[in-house]
Amino acid sequence: MSSASPILGIDLGTTNSLVGVVDSGFPILLADETGARMTPSAVHYAQDGSILVGAPALRKRSLEPQRTVTSVKRLIGRRSGEGDWTPPYDLRALGTTPVEVSAEILRRLKAIAERALEQPVSRAVITVPAYFNDAQRSATKQAGELAGLTVERIVSEPTAAALAYGLDKLDERKKIAVYDLGGGTFDISVLEMRDGVFQVLSTAGDTQLGGDDIDRALAAHLAPPGSDPALFLEAAEAAKKRLSSQESTRVDLPFYDGKNSLSRELTRAELEKLIRPLLERTREHCQRALHDAGVMLDEIDEVILVGGSTRIPLVRGLVARVFGREPNTSQNPDEAVAQGAVIQAGILSGSLQNVLLLDVTPLSLGIETFGGLMNVIIPRNSTLPCKAGEMFTNAVANQRDMLIRVLQGERELAKDNWELGQIVVPFPPGPKGSARVGVQFSIDVNGILQVLARDTATGKDIVLEIQNTAVDVDDERVEQMIAESVEHAFDDMNERLWTEARLKAEELLPAVETALAQFGDAVSEAERVTIQAAAAEVRRLLNAETHDATALKAANRALDEATQELAVRLVERAMEESLARRGLV
Ligand code: AMP
């Protein structure tokens, strides 16, 4: 955590509110002392003047509905009498206002953040529905200020959701639809990317349609004739949630009214039949929003889901049918708006500059080395930006330059990977292993790969820049490359081992021949026979039809061992000769 005061991102919701912050470059949501990240947007005003916020307030609702304020977001910024919702409480009787109630919730979120971060915070970004007018936006801002927060920005919820889904990377003029079905409200927005920011082209929805309606319908369905459906609300919501991931579930309510019990199996199909008409109502709002935005269905580039109720499979199916494409479900729908608020806060505080572009390399990057092998320099899935390098030398004497082939892929052999480019590094000719060429790969946040080759003797740099190829690879081709690398893993590995053994053998054989020819008198006849047999075995394997890497490695080792003594004697003789030449013996 940076020492500068962080900016909070706050989703001030109708039913639930969330708070988060960017920590070490990552957006995180903060939990209260019970471990909960969602705070019910509920405030209880007790008779004695004390105030409870969140889950404790919600627990008081059924006992004292007139003293427990929920869904205050439906009232904020409206003159009394305005709007289409009548709350079960009277704010004036409680001596409070919507702004003050919202301030209580925000004060609680601020306290959760300060406890989690162990430092005071005083700045925030707060989200509001896209359809909020000026009065509603400034009332929300006022609530923040009353809670001791400087409101750095008010952000539209669909825009925040789009940020959370990472859609801020979309190209200019791309259009997205945000389908938001929460507990009490349904919102549909069409957004367009313009000059790097999202513009809300249209919004539509129903402020009286959400998960609560589903719970009520299901409770009424479960309630036996003559019983009070309200008794089944909680069980209905729980069963509904389970049916989002299961095909059927058991509903057990022993002695729900003191004497009767309910125990029955409930299927997803049964729930779907019940709620289909409710959900169908969202369809025309979607069409309306498209119409108002002047956007055709096939111009929508992405559909994202927000709100807990979009976990219902029937909702996902409906969205897919309405928009003619599968919705993007990569984010947690209840947290997307809050995540987006946090990202926006991070951008404002400067702590997210790089992370927004955070990306990884989809495939390994490397260069071809001697023998046609792939030498990985930056492995796949490395986080950008990144930098890595290696030192190379000339494999043969008097080489005048080195060709560096830049490769991308997962295969062991260079020829099976994709070539991104080449650089030729010239260097002064010299014996084998005398040149020193450093090769460094660096990929910036934009995915641009720069390959820098430096001859350390001359200090001369050669730079090759490869635009975007480091990350900009077609997903399908990436998958195919990885699948192939797995499929060929065994053969590839054998080929790599073979190549390494072959290079070693090709180095060993001429050296042994030269030594025998020059210093043959230094070995016994028996030793000579052993060495020649070992060399013959290496040669045989080298020329064999099948590449047996293990056998060649073993033969190399045997030849190495057979020439051990010869090598020692050669060194001794060289020493003697040198000393003699200098007249020391
Ligand atoms: P939100 O306003 O985004 O917090 O959404 C809350 C609504 O989502 C409530 O009506 C919840 O019952 C509903 N919800 C949460 N999780 C699920 C789930 N797994 N399946 C169906 N509905 C859910």
Side-chain angles (χ1 to χ4, degrees):
M1 185 67 49
S2 69
S3 54
S5 158
I7 305 181
L8 301 179
I10 294 177
D11 168 11
L12 185 60
T14 308
T15 343
N16 293 299
S17 296
L18 296 103
V19 60
V21 75
V22 169
D23 183 2
S24 315
F26 287 94
I28 53 162
L29 297 178
L30 301 168
D32 65 11
E33 56 283 350
T34 72
R37 299 197 288 188
M38 263 192 215
T39 299
S41 305
V43 183
H44 178 77
Y45 292 84
Q47 194 93 48
D48 64 3
S50 63
I51 293 174
L52 290 175
V53 183
L58 205 54
R59 283 196 285 274
K60 297 274 184 188
R61 181 164 63 167
S62 52
L63 300 169
E64 294 182 285
Q66 302 89 349
R67 299 204 147 271
T68 312
V69 182
T70 53
S71 299
V72 75
K73 192 172 171 182
R74 293 181 187 276
L75 301 173
I76 201 160
R78 297 207 181 133
R79 274 168 257 121
S80 50
E82 208 178 62
D84 46 8
W85 184 66
T86 327
Y89 46 79
D90 181 357
L91 287 186
R92 226 166 314 156
L94 294 172
T96 187
T97 65
V99 169
E100 281 168 355
V101 176
S102 303
E104 291 296 347
I105 299 167
L106 291 168
R107 211 169 278 140
R108 168 78 184 133
L109 297 173
K110 179 174 181 274
I112 290 172
E114 289 179 336
R115 182 186 158 276
L117 302 172
E118 299 178 326
Q119 66 170 315
V121 285
S122 60
R123 301 156 78 198
V125 166
I126 305 177
T127 57
V128 296
Y131 58 77
F132 258 28
N133 60 27
D134 261 0
Q136 293 169 307
R137 284 166 197 258
S138 55
T140 303
K141 195 166 176 198
Q142 218 183 315
E145 267 138 34
L146 210 55
L149 292 166
T150 305
V151 180
E152 301 284 342
R153 194 166 294 183
I154 293 283
V155 183
S156 285
E157 287 162 11
T159 304
L163 270 181
Y165 274 87
L167 300 184
D168 49 313
K169 283 180 241 164
L170 283 181
D171 294 338
E172 279 296 291
R173 298 273 151 192
K174 291 276 182 193
K175 295 170 188 65
I176 66 172
V178 183
Y179 184 103
D180 179 350
L181 189 62
T185 59
F186 167 63
D187 294 307
I188 173 77
S189 317
V190 177
L191 272 50
E192 185 183 47
M193 177 57 95
R194 278 192 204 153
D195 303 323
V197 289
F198 280 111
Q199 300 287 320
V200 180
L201 296 184
S202 70
T203 71
D206 185 337
T207 54
Q208 310 295 330
L209 175 62
D212 299 346
D213 299 286
I214 295 174
D215 302 346
R216 275 195 291 273
L218 186 56
H221 176 72
L222 291 173
S227 62
D228 178 5
L231 297 172
F232 301 91
L233 269 178
E234 226 173 282
E237 186 187 7
K240 168 191 77 173
K241 289 186 181 173
R242 289 198 298 276
L243 288 176
S244 288
S245 52
Q246 293 161 221
E247 285 295 336
S248 74
T249 185
R250 237 196 133 71
V251 184
D252 273 307
L253 270 175
F255 309 114
Y256 57 82
D257 59 355
K259 33 185 208 301
N260 298 298
S261 300
L262 178 85
S263 177
R264 74 183 316 263
E265 198 66 18
L266 183 70
T267 64
R268 184 188 284 175
E270 215 176 330
L271 173 71
E272 289 186 344
K273 184 156 176 264
L274 203 62
I275 65 177
R276 193 182 295 273
L278 273 175
L279 298 181
E280 277 296 329
R281 279 163 55 194
T282 66
R283 181 192 291 272
E284 64 182 276
H285 295 296
C286 295
Q287 282 155 356
R288 167 99 196 248
L290 285 170
H291 176 265
D292 290 353
V295 169
M296 305 297 283
L297 245 190
D298 58 7
E299 290 179 83
I300 296 285
D301 297 289
E302 192 101 44
V303 181
I304 63 176
L305 298 180
V306 180
S309 300
T310 61
R311 291 187 194 274
I312 298 173
L314 186 64
V315 173
R316 299 189 168 188
L318 179 101
V319 174
R321 259 177 292 119
V322 170
F323 288 93
R325 62 163 58 235
E326 287 300 320
N328 181 337
T329 56
S330 60
Q331 298 298 309
N332 183 346
D334 335 82
E335 295 183 343
V337 170
Q339 287 278 3
V342 172
I343 292 170
Q344 182 64 61
I347 297 170
L348 289 180
S349 65
S351 47
L352 257 188
Q353 271 161 352
N354 290 341
V355 185
L356 260 191
L357 295 159
L358 186 98
D359 229 323
V360 297
T361 52
L363 292 171
S364 302
L365 294 159
I367 69 174
E368 174 176 341
T369 54
F370 198 60
L373 295 176
M374 165 79 166
N375 186 314
V376 172
I377 299 205
I378 295 182
R380 68 182 284 261
N381 276 339
S382 299
T383 305
L384 305 189
C386 56
K387 199 185 258 190
E390 232 171 273
M391 186 80 85
F392 294 92
T393 186
N394 54 328
V396 287
N398 296 322
Q399 206 176 321
R400 296 181 165 272
D401 52 36
M402 188 187 280
L403 170 69
I404 295 178
R405 289 182 64 210
V406 180
L407 304 171
Q408 179 168 39
E410 303 310 313
R411 302 290 299 275
E412 296 284 349
L413 302 187
K415 68 173 172 55
D416 295 323
N417 291 314
W418 305 328
E419 183 178 311
L420 298 182
Q422 297 192 344
I423 336 181
V424 177
V425 188
F427 44 77
K432 176 182 169 194
S434 62
R436 293 260 177 281
V437 177
V439 176
Q440 187 182 66
F441 279 36
S442 60
I443 310 177
D444 67 10
V445 288
N446 301 312
I448 294 170
L449 167 67
Q450 202 179 58
V451 181
L452 181 136
R454 173 178 300 168
D455 174 3
T456 51
T458 62
K460 244 183 86 188
D461 286 345
I462 299 172
V463 175
L464 175 71
E465 193 162 280
I466 299 165
Q467 297 281 337
N468 264 322
T469 29
V471 288
D472 213 9
V473 191
D474 190 23
D475 281 352
E476 227 169 274
R477 291 186 71 203
V478 169
E479 271 164 36
Q480 194 188 339
M481 167 62 83
I482 292 166
E484 278 172 9
S485 78
V486 172
E487 193 183 320
H488 297 285
F490 194 76
D491 291 345
D492 273 12
M493 194 38 94
N494 187 58
E495 212 35 44
R496 170 177 280 273
L497 291 175
W498 167 262
T499 305
E500 281 164 2
R502 174 173 63 78
L503 292 174
K504 170 90 183 153
E506 283 170 0
E507 192 178 324
L508 219 50
L509 284 175
V512 169
E513 263 159 34
T514 313
L516 278 183
Q518 286 183 2
F519 308 100
D521 54 329
V523 289
S524 67
E525 191 51 32
E527 219 176 336
R528 174 190 294 274
V529 171
T530 315
I531 292 172
Q532 277 172 340
E537 176 62 5
V538 170
R539 221 173 282 117
R540 183 187 72 78
L541 285 166
L542 257 187
N543 298 322
E545 194 95 352
T546 49
H547 292 176
D548 189 342
T550 321
L552 183 57
K553 250 175 98 174
N556 280 340
R557 212 175 313 118
L559 179 57
D560 222 11
E561 271 160 27
T563 53
Q564 279 286 311
E565 268 181 57
L566 173 61
V568 171
R569 246 165 281 147
L570 288 187
V571 172
E572 276 169 7
R573 184 175 292 191
M575 286 274 275
E576 276 165 23
E577 280 173 2
S578 158
L579 292 175
R581 237 182 292 119
R582 286 185 278 157
L584 295 170
V585 285

